[in-house]
Amino acid sequence: MTRDEIHDTVVEILSDSFELDRADIKLESTLYEDLDLDSIDAVDIFVQLRSVTGRRPDPAKAKEIRTVDELITFVEEELAAAERGDPEPDVQLPDGSTPPE
Amino acid sequence: MSNNPRSSTTHDVVICGGGLAGLTLARQLGREQPELRVAVVEPSRRPLPMVTHKVGESTVEVGTNYLAHTLGLKPYLDAEHLPKNGLRFFSGDNRGPFVDRVEFGPFEFPPVPSYQLDRGKLENDLRAMVEEHVDLREGVKVSRVELAESGSDDPHRVVIEGDDGEQTLSTRWVVDATGRRHLLRRQLDLGAPSRIDASSSWFRVPEKVDVAELVDASEERWHTRDNHGNRWLSTNHLTGPGYWVWIIPLAGDHTSIGIVAETEHHPFETFHTLEKSLEWLAEHEPALAKRLEGVEASDFLVRKQYSYSGKRFLSTDRWAAVGEAAFFTDPLYSQGTDYITFANTYTARAIREDREGTLSEELVSLANQFMLRLFEANEDILARSGNVFRHADVFGTKLLWDYYYYWAFMAAWYFNRVYAMDVERQRRFLALGDEYARVSRYIQETARAWAELRQHDGWKARTHVGLPDTLSVITDLHMQLDVQKDPDAAEARMREDLEGAKEFAAEVLYRALIGVGPENAAELARRVDLASWDLPLDGARVALQEGSRVARRGGFSRVARDLERLMGHPPGNGTPLARLLEQALGRRVEAPGLQARA
């Protein structure tokens, strides 16, 4: 996927999921202030992005993302990681532990 | 046996039938009460055929936890059987392009695992495992069971017949694990009818049938959203009007294909032979039928009106019936092994307490009540669901509730070891269970009426509904199964989740009202007997329905938010929800929190 294609996909996901006007979704728009999303919305963005990246997102990396531009870069990096076959982050239980083997 | 000299018996427990239920009970008893003298009497001999032995067994969380941990089979299951990638459903237009069906299923293997078991292999291997500590009689049939007089301490007598002729075993306990032979059920008149009226046919094909093959490779997003290409390892269900079809992988690249259909919608005669089943698939599931063209089925089996209930499964008269010898509800949701788990576990406890001289009528009665409630809960979930399968929005909403209910109550009962708690505490859990059952009936009835009266799509179709990794009420219910809790914490959690269940029921009602619109709101209320409901309906929440996304987010409960995240925001047709509710109730619901009572 080219950066432009990723951009279009990200805008489509944001507008469809959160009733946002496409014109309001700019590269420099901040997710939490400009687009008025909260932490649950953020989880849902990453759920939707799994269908693009084919990977479980890294919660630590995801937490750092502030703008639409950074979100696009994140998808780019995830696609590259998928290409390289990088391992995915661990699943965490609600108490912070990982599921028993 | 405290007051029964062991010398007068040949065995402590005779298990009639060495299928999955009987062999797992034998292994459980061997691990937990190794001093017991246990016999298993089974007419068939090894080796059992692989793949085609019995209908494939797909486990869900309870049965998996039992096999993996209570029976210590985790390393064996990981090595020898297929992991299961959860339940997966494809709903919506059954005759349109498969890519347009709405998919409900995980992106990857769920954190709490389950398996696709090969029954032939599992039963061969379990026999080899239990014969070290159990008197395993293969190629031997139970001719009859002579039960001791009720209330007496005399041994039961089990008359068996094999190559060496007839022999009599005398035993303290007798367990019927004969499946559909229903040894004790017939003898003691334990049978009861089921409200589920459906039949099934199934066959196996000697190749891997991947549901992903039903969608063209050019549909990249459809293929990528299954993160690791493991859809085929799910128990895949294709749902349509009055039916569902399963596609289940078996070991050795075989696949099981089954039709389950309600009699009301699809008379059994429309699919009771292989030829008719294939014709039936061509009509109702054309994409799958096309994939199966030219594929030779290795077998074909049917079960007409497969569901049946029982009056009880356990008695202080030292007998029990486990597995299909006692109950069979429905293959949807893969709960067969769950029933085995609960029946075996209560039976093992009763046998132990009998030895210790502490077995009470109270425990036995509670165990019977629990199993019957479990059966009734599943009847509520599954009976007359034919129209619900027709619509992806109705079905998806109901499916999410069924998960909620399973994880919050049924699975929690096992994972929190409620069965091992004292009777008084279990009674409190059972009372909570009655509350869950009441709420579930509201939801199931609402879903049925919604499916029948549906006027508006009310739903912008999502293509894939998978649970979020975190920050979701429903996901948390699944994930917290593996979080250890003491009895007080388990009880508090189940009580807390009951409040969420009530919110869930209210949300289903709101969605149904929007779906049936002003034309049918009053009729829906009549069909579900809304006037008799005892459920908090929050006027403030109702007023938010037409509000902005940010307003809804600020005012919705966690459950309401979860449903909106997963099933979308129903746009409605211009009639505000408050007005629809007024039509349904015949009066206004004021903010906040009025009770919708008669």
Side-chain angles (χ1 to χ4, degrees), chain B residues 48-56 118-121 204-206 250-255 298-299:
Chain B
L48 300 168
M50 309 285 251
V51 182
T52 57
H53 178 51
K54 283 177 184 167
V55 65
D118 183 309
R119 282 289 291 273
K121 173 160 185 53
R204 273 157 281 216
V205 294
L250 303 170
D253 274 353
H254 286 62
T255 307
S298 358
D299 64 346

Side-chain angles (χ1 to χ4, degrees), chain B residues 139-341:
Chain B
V140 176
K141 206 178 117 213
V142 174
S143 305
R144 63 182 185 279
V145 173
E146 294 166 6
L147 291 173
E149 199 179 316
S150 177
S152 84
D153 246 339
D154 300 336
H156 304 307
R157 292 158 59 83
V158 180
V159 182
I160 61 173
E161 200 186 328
D163 292 343
D164 313 333
E166 213 173 74
Q167 196 189 342
T168 300
L169 311 179
S170 59
T171 177
R172 177 88 185 150
W173 278 82
V174 61
V175 178
D176 179 7
T178 59
R180 284 171 185 256
R181 197 179 154 206
H182 293 152
L183 199 64
L184 288 182
R185 183 184 167 93
R186 286 177 210 273
Q187 191 167 332
L188 298 172
D189 187 28
L190 300 174
S194 165
R195 281 180 276 143
I196 297 168
D197 181 6
S199 300
S200 181
S201 75
W202 67 95
F203 53 95
R204 273 157 281 216
V205 294
E207 60 184 77
K208 177 174 156 184
V209 176
D210 186 346
V211 71
E213 294 171 74
L214 308 185
V215 172
D216 195 87
S218 65
E219 300 284 353
E220 275 179 34
R221 280 283 283 279
W222 191 93
H223 289 281
T224 311
R225 76 187 189 217
D226 166 34
N227 284 184
H228 308 103
N230 283 329
R231 276 191 180 97
W232 70 283
L233 283 170
S234 300
T235 296
N236 284 292
H237 309 72
L238 319 184
T239 74
Y243 75 85
W244 57 277
V245 165
W246 79 66
I247 307 173
I248 299 176
L250 303 170
D253 274 353
H254 286 62
T255 307
S256 170
I257 313 266
I259 297 170
V260 180
E262 285 191 349
T263 308
E264 186 191 337
H265 298 267
H266 301 274
F268 182 52
E269 295 68 36
T270 59
F271 59 95
H272 73 312
T273 64
L274 177 59
E275 196 185 352
K276 285 195 171 172
S277 285
L278 293 172
E279 281 169 21
W280 190 98
L281 286 174
E283 184 184 344
H284 300 285
E285 289 293 343
L288 176 62
K290 191 157 180 294
R291 167 64 184 80
L292 294 176
E293 270 172 21
V295 179
E296 195 82 26
S298 358
D299 64 346
F300 178 77
L301 293 159
V302 294
R303 239 172 232 181
K304 187 178 181 184
Q305 292 168 308
Y306 50 73
S307 186
Y308 52 84
S309 184
K311 291 173 189 147
R312 57 190 196 279
F313 80 99
L314 184 64
S315 168
T316 49
D317 285 333
R318 297 171 279 115
W319 58 258
V322 297
E324 292 189 20
F327 306 95
F328 186 83
T329 40
D330 202 277
L332 192 74
Y333 300 150
S334 316
Q335 280 188 278
T337 315
D338 289 9
Y339 278 89
I340 289 175
T341 298

